[in-house]
Amino acid sequence: MIGVQFGAGNIGRGFMAHLFRESGLETVFVEAREELVRALNSRGWYPLRLLKKDGSSVDLKIDKVRAFLPSEKEKISQAISAAKIIATAVGAHNLPAIAPFLAAGFAQRCRESGEAINVLCCENLKDAPQVLQNLVLEHLEGEEERKFVAEKVGFVGTVIARMVPVVDARFGVDDPLFLVAEHYYRLPYDAKAVRGEMPRIVGLVPVKNFVAEMDRKLFIHNLGHAVLAYWGYLKGYRYIHEAINDEEIASILDGAWQEVSKALLQKYPDLDPKEHTELVKDLRERFANPLLMDTVQRVARDPLRKLKPQDRIVGAAMLCMSQGIFPNFVALCLAAALLYDWPEDQEAQKLQELIVAKGVKAVLKEVCELDPESDFARRVLEEYQKLCVRKKEWRK
């Protein structure tokens, strides 16, 4: 039994192939990087280190893997036709590139077995399943094939929460295939999007209210990361686990989580409050794991994207206000994000150029799509001015 994994990067190897292997599946990667494909095929396995919250770690050998280049179209189609499950982790901008391969594989599957199959979309794009389905249908001409995809291929959204830090010399392993990830298995997926029967795969959790699960990931996990990254950067910390051990930053994190948790539980009454509380507690412990050595700059990168109205910070504020909750602590996160000026982050430099050229109010209006005269924006501006003063003190 095989699982086809499009993308052999951090999530592809650091999460999905690991779950496939623990579930008894062979993983067939489809990967564009020739050196990586060659290395995987030559060795037939790769090392994965899982880092636990208690400070221990476990080294795994992920075997039963092989990889194809995009040029090996017939082999890819055959793998898709025979697969038990398919997953994508290629980046939303690369979905158009993999759609033709999926279409050809589904056409072959339609002819050969006609069995239903599901595609786990592990992409940082809210509408990735629908986008990918539409792209695949564009490459199918036969009515029977299009009907097969529409009725028997599930394009299933997932919520990826396993943290996979960038591997470098600090982990002390000189192996181009070596990966590090946190010891976290939970992978929620949209139960309503499944076609046929989902195979038993370790870690997969069916979720009926998938929109609520996505909002929780964005406004708890991603917002929490943003608080730690932007405040951690201002106060001169290198790693996320250092930032969460700062008493002031931890209090802002907890305050933001309390605001957003209350809003989430009000908006989605089918969420279990006890389960939610345990999830937040677990996440706090995971963020504090020193073994991850997740850098502040990695988590803070691309601030312009993260300041958009539907993203983790402003989106969390809008959620709170829609439920009658004023997001005081979320405002502190936004104020800190506006000061992010890491020299090696092009988006951070563009943000600061915008502030110099047009002012902070203009950025709140044009990037965040906030009314600069609203109570929330006024709160952000007030805290921004305070942080400008404190930033100078911290950097003396």
Side-chain angles (χ1 to χ4, degrees), residues 125-194:
L125 178 67
K126 188 174 183 179
D127 300 324
Q130 189 61 56
V131 169
L132 185 56
Q133 182 183 44
N134 291 341
L135 287 167
V136 169
L137 289 172
E138 288 177 8
H139 291 277
L140 293 171
E141 296 181 358
E143 186 59 34
E144 187 176 353
E145 297 167 353
R146 292 174 64 85
K147 183 180 179 183
F148 172 78
V149 169
E151 296 180 357
K152 291 196 173 184
V153 177
F155 293 84
V156 183
T158 66
V159 175
I160 301 292
R162 174 182 277 192
M163 291 178 276
V164 185
V166 175
V167 173
D168 57 26
R170 70 187 187 274
F171 289 103
V173 178
D174 184 17
D175 184 336
L177 290 181
F178 174 70
L179 277 178
V180 170
E182 67 167 333
H183 191 274
Y184 182 80
Y185 283 71
R186 188 174 186 268
L187 180 59
Y189 68 90
D190 184 1
K192 294 181 180 179
V194 171

Side-chain angles (χ1 to χ4, degrees), residues 7 11 22 35 91 100 137 165 242:
I11 298 302
E22 293 221 351
E35 287 186 8
L137 289 172
E242 295 173 331

Side-chain angles (χ1 to χ4, degrees), residues 381-396:
L381 288 168
E382 177 187 344
E383 294 301 328
Y384 174 83
Q385 296 301 330
K386 291 179 183 178
L387 283 176
C388 284
V389 175
R390 295 185 71 188
K391 178 183 175 183
K392 293 177 182 178
E393 295 174 356
W394 286 327
R395 298 193 176 181
K396 282 182 180 179

Side-chain angles (χ1 to χ4, degrees), residues 29-34 37 67-73 76 101:
F29 291 107
V30 180
E31 170 60 49
R33 289 170 289 178
E34 189 170 347
V37 169
F68 296 139
L69 288 165
S71 57
E72 300 177 275
K73 297 179 181 179
I76 296 171
F101 300 101

Side-chain angles (χ1 to χ4, degrees), residues 142-337:
E143 186 59 34
E144 187 176 353
E145 297 167 353
R146 292 174 64 85
K147 183 180 179 183
F148 172 78
V149 169
E151 296 180 357
K152 291 196 173 184
V153 177
F155 293 84
V156 183
T158 66
V159 175
I160 301 292
R162 174 182 277 192
M163 291 178 276
V164 185
V166 175
V167 173
D168 57 26
R170 70 187 187 274
F171 289 103
V173 178
D174 184 17
D175 184 336
L177 290 181
F178 174 70
L179 277 178
V180 170
E182 67 167 333
H183 191 274
Y184 182 80
Y185 283 71
R186 188 174 186 268
L187 180 59
Y189 68 90
D190 184 1
K192 294 181 180 179
V194 171
R195 297 291 182 267
E197 186 175 342
M198 181 70 76
R200 291 188 178 182
I201 295 175
V202 172
L204 260 64
V205 179
V207 174
K208 293 181 179 179
N209 190 342
F210 190 66
V211 173
E213 193 69 32
M214 290 180 67
D215 277 357
R216 178 156 61 181
K217 166 60 165 44
L218 187 60
F219 301 137
I220 295 293
H221 188 127
N222 292 1
L223 173 67
H225 247 168
V227 170
L228 297 174
Y230 294 124
W231 271 85
Y233 175 76
L234 282 178
K235 299 190 80 169
Y237 294 113
R238 183 179 181 186
Y239 297 116
I240 291 297
H241 71 267
E242 295 173 331
I244 202 171
N245 286 324
D246 181 291
E247 187 175 336
E248 180 182 22
I249 297 175
S251 68
I252 295 168
L253 174 67
D254 290 338
W257 273 348
Q258 287 171 13
E259 291 169 350
V260 175
S261 292
K262 185 177 180 181
L264 283 169
L265 292 171
Q266 284 183 192
K267 183 175 181 179
Y268 302 113
D270 51 339
L271 287 177
D272 183 337
K274 184 177 179 181
E275 179 194 37
H276 179 82
T277 299
E278 288 299 316
L279 183 147
V280 173
K281 179 184 176 183
D282 179 67
L283 183 58
R284 200 181 197 284
E285 294 172 354
R286 290 162 58 201
F287 282 165
N289 186 348
L291 294 181
L292 282 173
M293 291 188 282
D294 208 357
T295 64
V296 163
Q297 285 81 7
R298 187 200 74 81
V299 178
R301 66 189 175 190
D302 300 334
L304 282 175
R305 173 173 61 86
K306 292 169 182 174
L307 290 175
K308 290 186 179 297
Q310 303 302 323
D311 214 288
R312 62 211 67 196
I313 305 174
V314 180
M318 295 298 102
L319 168 67
C320 288
M321 289 187 284
S322 75
Q323 300 302 309
I325 300 161
F326 192 82
N328 279 295
F329 288 97
V330 178
L332 289 172
C333 178
L334 179 50

Side-chain angles (χ1 to χ4, degrees), residues 297 300-303 340-350:
Q297 285 81 7
R301 66 189 175 190
D302 300 334
Y340 184 61
D341 61 359
W342 179 244
E344 297 179 24
D345 189 321
Q346 291 184 352
E347 289 291 299
Q349 292 307 302
K350 287 180 183 178

